[in-house]
Amino acid sequence: MTTISLNPSHTRPQHFSASYNYNKTHDINLNRPVSLVKIKLKFNSMSSVIRTDLPKKRKRGESRVFRLKTFGERGHPAEMNELSFRDNLGKLLEFGHFESSGLMGSWSFQLEVHRQPNPLYVLLFVVEEPIEASLNLRCNHCQYVGWGNQMICNKKYHFVIPSKETMAAFLKLEGGICASPEKESLSHLVELQGHVLHGFFHSNGFGHLLSINGIESGSDITGHQVMELWDRLCNGLKARKIGLNDASHKKGMELRLLHGVAKGEPWFGRWGYRFGSGTYGVTQKIYEKALESVRNVPLCLLNHHLTSLNRETPILLSRYQTLSSEPLITLSDLFMFMLHLHSRLPRDNYLNNSRNQIISIDNTNCRWSQKRIQMAIKVVIESLKRVECRWISRQEVRDAARNYIGDTGLLDFVLKSLGNQVVGNYLVRRSLNPVKKVLEYCLEDISNLLPSSNHELTTLQNQYQTGKTTTTTNGHNKITRGQVMKDMVYFYRQILMDYKGVLGPIGILNQIGMASRAILDAKYFIKEYHYIRDTSMKTIQLDGGGKLGIFCTIARKSHHHYNMPPQECIVVNKNATLSEVCREAERVFREIYWELRDVVVDNQREMSTRVDEMALNGNKGLVLDGNVGMMMNIEVMKYYDDEDSKKKDMRIECECGAKEEDGERMVCCDICEVWQHTRCVGVQHSEEVPRIFLCQSCDQHLIPLSFLP
């Protein structure tokens, strides 16, 4: 999220963060594929944007619809198998609906989410932002996450799934600004905050995830689905590195702390994101040591300290020790067990179903009565019971049920509606067999999870380390999913966060709080994707050997700020000469980098030499010498000189050890002009920055003025 500092003259603006937010309603669902122009024409009420009827046939020229579950994979929709990000992006955009041109081009994709009884649709927008439209040449996200020394790119490509609120705000804003259709643009959309998904790529394949929002914030798609989509896009497009500022939270708990204590990694860690950089002077070594110290806190020692300070916490600890079939030894074991238990229990809305209730299927759009549907459901359930909870194919279930129900259309309707539904004491599971590629069904007995006579819920004893499951029926071991979440929030606040107020600054309890603070200050995480790197592979054959991919970069001389860009895969014919490679390299690097817009390769080698016969330079691939024009060189030099001047003027020396900007709010001393974090000098985030601020050093050296009249 973007937060503007309260006192611009003394503070630095904050920036976007990858936020898995549960507190707001974020999503847009379309039950009919439409273009942005059609949305704007029909936007008389929010319901007309979100819900429309799905036509039976797609009209000629109308946008294509893609499955959300597979979008971004190879062949879905594009064959993104090349070795460069720029080529794959071009292939993907060929399948998009072109929305607008002008300074910022944009495309849209209609994504279908499989749901019963009707599918849902979301809009994915891709907005091209040229450097001329950017407020700053240098990307702050790159600086904060740790690769701020990268060359400045010509373009950014924003991938956005708007929420209801952001789409409504965008349409309202555009309605007041754009009077003619040819001026329509999605440039204002990327400036809004609160999207279901917002991430962007630089034209060289480095990128940033800014925000995602899941189903608990009102969206119709889960945070996992959004994150899976983003990960598939990064893999398919051959992104190099992706960074994010982890602000994910749930029920007031910071997930990077909760999952860090439980699993040793943030919530984004399941997709391969690892520590990139920290704030307030936190390094990777400090972060890892903090994780280790909190995760290995013995519960017996913690319980000993808590007994004299708080009665409720030791009782809850004892309760979860009893629920677990494996001993909970450390704090990590406790939170890991609670997360696993929470994921295994059914949602609390299942408690409204009685034990013998058959689910009610909406039959308003079908030709069968509710009585016939309920009879068919009973027949299917009995057929699944006879196979003793084994997975069987849809065809086998259908054949067994046909002995009692002759109407095959009714059976097909019921089987389609029964997937992952609770029927009485059973959960009907449905899954696609990854090997046979057929739908399979299985019946799971969940009678131990359903409400008992006193409306409590008997839990599973999960041996989550061994994968085994046993049950318990003792009355004191009954617990609901909501109660587990409530207890988890309580432990989070009382043990990990509220150590000063409740536990007191004594021994191990104070250490937990200090370590938790360090974990929370580690906000920037990165993932390196499986892009072919500048190591042993210098050339690769493509298209059955007809073309050659050459890893190449450009070395620019006589420029003290110049950082050699990462290698790009230059695709040429197999028998191409070095001269042809140089011309193609010029085109590629001009397209990607602002500093190389008019670069000219000046290579001293024999330009007529065939590349496949030429020995490349060690493991570095092909390194070409390049020069830029005088005017561009002057512009680049002026920019970097200004940047150096700003860095010299902004001296950061904070007591936490920070020497560079990390995105946190800062304040400047009015005497020595040294910048420090507001938190480190005792100014709370909820407080305004003082109009006049003196650091501790300057304050101590002020000459007493008591002698003045």
Side-chain angles (χ1 to χ4, degrees):
M1 303 176 183
T2 300
T3 304
I4 302 301
S5 302
L6 298 175
N7 191 335
S9 63
H10 288 279
T11 56
R12 308 291 292 180
Q14 291 184 348
H15 49 285
F16 288 103
S17 58
S19 171
Y20 187 33
N21 194 328
Y22 294 80
N23 300 323
K24 296 182 180 179
T25 304
H26 295 327
D27 191 22
I28 180 167
N29 301 312
L30 300 170
N31 282 1
R32 175 184 175 185
V34 292
S35 69
L36 179 63
V37 176
K38 291 181 180 179
I39 291 177
K40 299 178 77 170
L41 292 175
K42 295 182 179 181
F43 191 67
N44 297 322
S45 64
M46 196 61 216
S47 59
S48 65
V49 179
I50 305 304
R51 302 286 181 181
T52 55
D53 295 327
L54 181 66
K56 294 181 180 180
K57 291 185 180 180
R58 180 162 46 88
K59 295 181 180 180
R60 186 175 182 180
E62 196 170 357
S63 300
R64 293 183 56 181
V65 179
F66 307 98
R67 292 183 62 190
L68 175 74
K69 189 175 181 179
T70 58
F71 189 81
E73 294 179 355
R74 183 173 178 179
H76 300 276
E79 288 291 338
M80 298 184 291
N81 57 354
E82 297 293 337
L83 301 175
S84 67
F85 169 80
R86 65 186 188 282
D87 291 340
N88 288 326
L89 181 64
K91 290 182 178 181
L92 176 65
L93 295 182
E94 288 177 1
F95 289 84
H97 181 273
F98 189 68
E99 295 287 356
S100 62
S101 56
L103 185 61
M104 297 180 69
S106 55
W107 299 259
S108 65
F109 296 86
Q110 306 284 344
L111 305 182
E112 179 184 271
V113 184
H114 179 69
R115 291 285 173 83
Q116 294 294 342
N118 296 316
L120 301 173
Y121 293 87
V122 296
L123 276 173
L124 170 66
F125 293 104
V126 181
V127 183
E128 180 185 72
E129 178 187 354
I131 196 170
E132 292 82 4
S134 300
L135 296 177
N136 299 307
L137 291 179
R138 180 69 69 184
C139 175
N140 287 336
H141 304 287
C142 290
Q143 178 183 343
Y144 299 145
V145 83
W147 54 68
N149 58 347
Q150 291 285 334
M151 292 184 67
I152 300 172
C153 293
N154 281 322
K155 294 179 180 179
K156 298 176 185 174
Y157 294 90
H158 296 263
F159 284 69
V160 178
I161 297 179
S163 65
K164 300 181 186 74
E165 289 82 2
T166 54
M167 179 56 82
F170 163 70
L171 294 175
K172 183 178 180 180
L173 183 63
E174 285 289 291
I177 294 177
C178 298
S180 57
E182 62 269 14
K183 293 184 180 180
E184 287 182 354
S185 168
L186 287 169
S187 59
H188 301 290
L189 185 65
V190 300
E191 299 171 2
L192 299 173
Q193 299 148 46
H195 297 299
V196 174
L197 168 67
H198 186 189
F200 72 85
F201 300 95
H202 295 287
S203 51
N204 64 352
F206 288 80
H208 306 276
L209 176 60
L210 302 184
S211 67
I212 66 169
N213 290 282
I215 198 168
E216 294 194 27
S217 49
S219 167
D220 286 321
I221 53 179
T222 67
H224 284 78
Q225 287 177 306
V226 179
M227 194 61 202
E228 290 288 346
L229 169 63
W230 173 254
D231 196 53
R232 287 195 303 272
L233 286 170
C234 294
N235 271 309
L237 292 172
K238 298 297 183 296
R240 281 193 166 99
K241 288 184 181 181
I242 302 296
L244 59 85
N245 177 6
D246 187 356
S248 56
H249 60 276
K250 181 175 184 179
K251 305 293 184 182
M253 298 183 292
E254 299 286 347
L255 294 187
R256 65 183 180 279
L257 176 58
L258 177 64
H259 284 257
V261 174
K263 304 176 182 180
E265 62 182 17
W267 183 80
F268 294 97
R270 70 189 68 190
W271 290 279
Y273 285 84
R274 297 294 180 260
F275 179 89
S277 62
T279 59
Y280 300 103
V282 173
T283 62
Q284 183 170 2
K285 185 176 181 180
I286 294 175
Y287 172 69
E288 292 174 350
K289 191 172 182 179
L291 276 178
E292 182 182 2
S293 62
V294 177
R295 300 187 74 229
N296 294 329
V297 171
L299 288 181
C300 60
L301 182 59
L302 187 62
N303 191 61
H304 171 73
H305 285 281
L306 292 170
T307 302
S308 60
L309 298 172
N310 188 305
R311 280 189 172 186
E312 186 176 355
T313 307
I315 294 174
L316 282 177
L317 286 174
S318 175
R319 183 181 191 184
Y320 283 95
Q321 288 279 16
T322 306
L323 285 172
S324 175
S325 59
E326 293 289 326
L328 304 179
I329 300 173
T330 65
L331 196 57
S332 173
D333 295 337
L334 172 65
F335 280 104
M336 186 67 181
F337 173 71
M338 295 183 76
L339 285 173
H340 193 79
L341 181 63
H342 181 267
S343 67
R344 290 286 296 170
L345 291 171
R347 296 187 179 275
D348 292 348
N349 56 10
Y350 287 160
L351 302 182
N352 296 325
N353 297 327
S354 64
R355 284 192 166 211
N356 299 317
Q357 181 182 1
I358 298 295
I359 63 171
S360 177
I361 297 177
D362 183 12
N363 64 340
T364 55
N365 296 323
C366 68
R367 62 178 185 271
W368 300 281
S369 65
Q370 189 66 234
K371 184 177 180 180
R372 292 191 65 190
I373 291 174
Q374 297 294 343
M375 182 181 297
I377 291 175
K378 290 181 180 180
V379 170
V380 171
I381 296 300
E382 291 299 323
S383 301
L384 291 172
K385 284 182 182 179
R386 286 194 289 270
V387 298
E388 299 179 350
C389 300
R390 289 187 295 105
W391 284 93
I392 61 173
S393 68
R394 179 185 180 279
Q395 187 61 44
E396 291 175 297
V397 180
R398 192 172 183 270
D399 292 343
R402 282 202 63 188
N403 294 327
Y404 304 92
I405 304 293
D407 191 337
T408 56
L410 173 60
L411 285 177
D412 291 339
F413 176 77
V414 169
L415 287 173
K416 180 181 178 181
S417 305
L418 269 182
N420 300 315
Q421 295 285 342
V422 176
V423 183
N425 291 341
Y426 298 94
L427 173 63
V428 182
R429 294 196 177 276
R430 181 178 64 185
S431 178
L432 180 67
N433 189 307
V435 178
K436 299 179 181 179
K437 303 298 182 182
V438 296
L439 282 175
E440 293 185 338
Y441 289 79
C442 177
L443 202 62
E444 180 179 340
D445 187 353
I446 58 169
S447 57
N448 62 302
L449 297 175
L450 291 175
S452 60
S453 58
N454 59 357
H455 301 290
E456 290 183 307
L457 196 66
T458 307
T459 66
L460 294 172
Q461 281 188 320
N462 291 294
Q463 296 178 338
Y464 54 88
Q465 294 177 345
T466 61
K468 298 180 181 179
T469 302
T470 58
T471 61
T472 179
T473 57
N474 296 330
H476 62 277
N477 286 342
K478 297 177 180 179
I479 195 170
T480 65
R481 179 187 177 104
Q483 186 61 47
V484 173
M485 176 57 68
K486 182 179 178 181
D487 293 341
M488 200 184 311
V489 172
Y490 178 83
F491 283 138
Y492 177 90
R493 292 176 179 173
Q494 300 299 319
I495 298 177
L496 299 180
M497 296 301 296
D498 199 18
Y499 62 99
K500 291 181 180 178
V502 177
L503 305 182
I506 54 175
I508 192 172
L509 304 179
N510 188 45
Q511 294 176 14
I512 292 175
M514 294 172 61
S516 296
R517 185 70 268 167
I519 295 171
L520 289 174
D521 288 340
K523 298 180 179 180
Y524 297 101
F525 296 87
I526 61 174
K527 178 178 179 180
E528 293 192 32
Y529 282 83
H530 304 296
Y531 183 81
I532 297 180
R533 289 171 174 71
D534 320 338
T535 54
S536 59
M537 298 192 69
K538 296 163 290 189
T539 61
I540 188 169
Q541 291 187 352
L542 302 172
D543 295 340
K547 290 186 178 294
L548 196 64
I550 304 170
F551 290 95
C552 152
T553 187
I554 293 180
R556 181 181 167 200
K557 297 181 179 180
S558 67
H559 195 290
H560 64 284
H561 285 286
Y562 184 76
N563 293 306
M564 190 180 298
Q567 294 184 2
E568 294 290 336
C569 184
I570 308 299
V571 181
V572 294
N573 293 325
K574 184 178 180 180
N575 58 354
T577 63
L578 181 58
S579 176
E580 294 173 305
V581 173
C582 291
R583 300 290 79 78
E584 179 65 14
E586 285 179 1
R587 184 191 68 80
V588 169
F589 282 91
R590 286 176 179 178
E591 180 183 315
I592 295 176
Y593 295 105
W594 171 70
E595 303 172 38
L596 302 178
R597 280 186 169 184
D598 59 354
V599 67
V600 176
V601 173
D602 182 20
N603 205 289
Q604 302 299 322
R605 305 182 192 183
E606 184 60 44
M607 302 298 283
S608 60
T609 305
R610 286 180 50 174
V611 179
D612 57 345
E613 299 175 353
M614 184 177 63
L616 300 181
N617 182 18
N619 291 334
K620 297 182 180 179
L622 184 61
V623 180
L624 303 173
D625 296 327
N627 295 298
V628 299
M630 181 180 296
M631 296 303 296
M632 190 65 196
N633 191 49
I634 293 174
E635 185 178 357
V636 172
M637 289 292 292
K638 183 179 183 302
Y639 170 77
Y640 280 112
D641 289 342
D642 291 342
E643 286 289 299
D644 289 343
S645 177
K646 290 178 182 179
K647 288 181 180 180
K648 290 178 181 178
D649 293 340
M650 185 179 177
R651 188 160 55 99
I652 300 175
E653 293 181 6
C654 189
E655 62 183 41
C656 67
K659 299 293 183 183
E660 296 180 352
E661 255 192 298
D662 55 12
E664 299 298 331
R665 193 174 68 160
M666 287 185 164
V667 62
C668 179
C669 176
D670 287 290
I671 294 180
C672 66
E673 297 185 344
V674 171
W675 290 81
Q676 294 176 286
H677 293 115
T678 54
R679 192 184 85 181
C680 295
V681 298
V683 180
Q684 301 298 323
H685 285 293
S686 58
E687 300 177 5
E688 290 190 16
V689 177
R691 293 181 178 273
I692 298 177
F693 173 76
L694 302 181
C695 66
Q696 186 177 4
S697 176
C698 293
D699 187 46
Q700 291 176 351
H701 289 84
L702 279 178
I703 301 175
L705 302 178
S706 58
F707 61 88
L708 293 177

